[in-house]
C-alpha cells in the first residue's frame, strides 16, 4: 500500500471514531455507513483493525461497537499533561462556588472550541457543557472570546464553514465589530446565541506571547442574568482570567 492509501486509511479510521458522541456511544455498521458515506466493506475492514488494537470493542450479543478501554489510557495521558487544565481548576472551582453557575475552560482545536475542564454549578437548573465536544467558534461568548484574537482570515474560514453547514449568512460588519469589541475589552457576553435560553460570559487567558492560550466562561440560564449580574460577572470573569494569566506568565 502506498503512502497516499495509508493516509486515506488513517483519515477514514479517524472519521469512524468521530462518529461516536455522548448520545451515540454505541453504533452499528449501518450507523457508520450513514454518517461517513463509506461503503460497508471498507467500514467493516477498518472496524476490525481498530478492534484488534483495542481502540474499539464490540458487543458480541448486539453487534454494536463502542470506544475501547485503550481510550481511557490515552485520555489519562492527555489529562495529566494538560498543565493549564490542572492549574486553572482551583480558579474554576472558586468562581463556580461564588456564582453558583457552571464554569468552563476552553481551547481551540481545528476551528472548534473544546471544553477541557468544567465545574458544574449548584443551581437546580444549570447549563450543560460537554467535555471534549467540538463546538463552533462563531456562536456563543466561549467561542468568540477565542476567535477574536485570531486573524481575520482564520475567522472568515470559521464563518464560511458554519454558514455552509447551517445554510445561513452571518452579517460580517456586525460580527467583526463584535470581535473588535471583545479584543478591546477582553470579555465577551452572549445571551440566547448558541443555545436559546442560555447565556455565557467569557474572558481570554493570555500567555507569555500575549496571545490567548485558553478561555474561561461562566454559563447559565438567561432568566438569571440580570443587568446587575451581567456587569458583576463580566468583571469577575475578567479578573479571574487575569489571575490565571499572571500565574502562567510569572
Amino acid at each position: 500500500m502506498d503512502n497516499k492509501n495509508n493516509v486515506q486509511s488513517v483519515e477514514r479510521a479517524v472519521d469512524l471514531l468521530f462518529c461516536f458522541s455522548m448520545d451515540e456511544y454505541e453504533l452499528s455498521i449501518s450507523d457508520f455507513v450513514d454518517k461517513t458515506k463509506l461503503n460497508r466493506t471498507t467500514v467493516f475492514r477498518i472496524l476490525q483493525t481498530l478492534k484488534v488494537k483495542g481502540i474499539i470493542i464490540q458487543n458480541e450479543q448486539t453487534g454494536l461497537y463502542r470506544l475501547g478501554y485503550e481510550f481511557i489510557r490515552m485520555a489519562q495521558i492527555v489529562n495529566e499533561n494538560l498543565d493549564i487544565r490542572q492549574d486553572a481548576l482551583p480558579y474554576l472551582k472558586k468562581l463556580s462556588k461564588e456564582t453558583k453557575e457552571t464554569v468552563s475552560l476552553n481551547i481551540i482545536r481545528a476551528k472548534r472550541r473544546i471544553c477541557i475542564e468544567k465545574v458544574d454549578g449548584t443551581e437546580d437548573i444549570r447549563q450543560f457543557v460537554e467535555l471534549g465536544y467540538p463546538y463552533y467558534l462563531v456562536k456563543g461568548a466561549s467561542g468568540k472570546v477565542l476567535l477574536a484574537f485570531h486573524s481575520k482570515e482564520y475567522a472568515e474560514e470559521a464563518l464560511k464553514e458554519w454558514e455552509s453547514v447551517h445554510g445561513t449568512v452571518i452579517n460580517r460588519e456586525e460580527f467583526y465589530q463584535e470581535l473588535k469589541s471583545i479584543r478591546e475589552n477582553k470579555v465577551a457576553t452572549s445571551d440566547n446565541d448558541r443555545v436559546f435560553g442560555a447565556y455565557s460570559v467569557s474572558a481570554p487567558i493570555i500567555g507569555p506571547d500575549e496571545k490567548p492560550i485558553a478561555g474561561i466562561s461562566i454559563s447559565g440560564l438567561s432568566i438569571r442574568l440580570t443587568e446587575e449580574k451581567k456587569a458583576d460577572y463580566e468583571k469577575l470573569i475578567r479578573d479571574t482570567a487575569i489571575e490565571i494569566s499572571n500565574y502562567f506568565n510569572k
Side-chain angles (χ1 to χ4, degrees), residues 108-114 137 154 161:
I108 285 183
R109 285 293 181 271
K111 296 186 182 65
R112 293 289 192 278
R113 168 179 67 88
I114 306 292
L137 290 165
Y154 185 93
E161 182 184 23

Side-chain angles (χ1 to χ4, degrees), residues 96 99-103 119-121 123 199 218-220 224 233:
S96 181
T99 63
K100 298 182 180 179
E101 297 284 27
T102 296
V103 179
V119 177
D120 288 324
E123 295 282 2
Y199 78 85
I218 302 170
S219 57
R224 291 200 291 264
Y233 286 178

